[in-house]
Amino acid sequence: AGAALIGGGTSSGAGGPVCSASGPEICVDLVGTPAIVAPSGDTDHYVNYVAHIANDGSQSATHTGADIDLSGGLVLDSVTSSGGTCSLTAHPTCTLGKLAGGADAIVEFTARVPTTEGTGKATLTVNFDERASDGPTPDPKQDTVIVDEDTTVKIPDGSAATFVPEGASVSL
């Protein structure tokens, strides 16, 4: 997993949550399971992602939102959140609203994996405002925390597919 921080932020360690450095202390963690999955074929295969978004400070965050971006052939299948609403559109997003100090929200989404081997990446961008009077559109006071999770798409070692040389075919 990796992290990028906009509006000032720090990472609390590899694999752990990423937290904002200014304003409300918003910490975000993203985990995808399984970490290694077989490519989709006759049967579709999926990765389930769970993001935990916590306000670990005492200051409320307003207009909190979470945007989902998938790459590497991953295709979003579903998205839900523990509060607010989510849209399954070309630009999937969850509108979480106000996140009071000590409160948290969960965003869960499922992605179908591609038919080819490679690396898929899920990126979650959480944005929020520091003041209640701020509007829901991005402004100079808006903070952003970005986390991502890689998923390896490969044929499992020891499966029948790994015993057939590439380009060969088998008839049963």
Side-chain angles (χ1 to χ4, degrees):
L5 305 161
I6 300 171
T10 59
S11 174
S12 62
V18 176
C19 300
S20 59
S22 63
E25 188 179 349
I26 302 298
C27 297
V28 183
D29 195 16
L30 177 64
V31 176
T33 54
I36 300 174
V37 62
S40 291
D42 293 337
T43 303
D44 288 335
H45 294 158
Y46 297 89
V47 180
N48 298 307
Y49 295 94
V50 177
H52 183 236
I53 303 162
N55 185 345
D56 288 345
S58 59
Q59 183 181 356
S60 290
T62 61
H63 307 109
T64 306
D67 298 328
I68 300 165
D69 184 44
L70 301 174
S71 62
L74 295 173
V75 177
L76 190 63
D77 184 64
S78 66
V79 60
T80 60
S81 67
S82 61
T85 60
C86 295
S87 66
L88 190 62
T89 61
H91 181 73
T93 188
C94 293
T95 303
L96 305 171
K98 182 179 179 181
L99 202 57
D104 64 354
I106 303 292
V107 173
E108 297 182 69
F109 55 100
T110 301
R112 186 177 67 246
V113 300
T115 58
T116 57
E117 292 185 320
T119 301
K121 182 183 294 271
T123 302
L124 187 75
T125 302
V126 176
N127 49 67
F128 55 94
D129 285 322
E130 299 178 26
R131 295 187 284 190
S133 61
D134 284 345
T137 56
D139 61 39
K141 295 171 209 67
Q142 190 166 55
D143 291 312
T144 304
V145 178
I146 303 171
V147 294
D148 57 49
E149 177 78 357
D150 289 340
T151 299
T152 301
V153 180
K154 69 177 238 152
I155 297 170
D157 292 335
S159 69
T162 62
F163 296 116
V164 178
E166 190 171 330
S169 62
V170 175
S171 298
L172 299 176

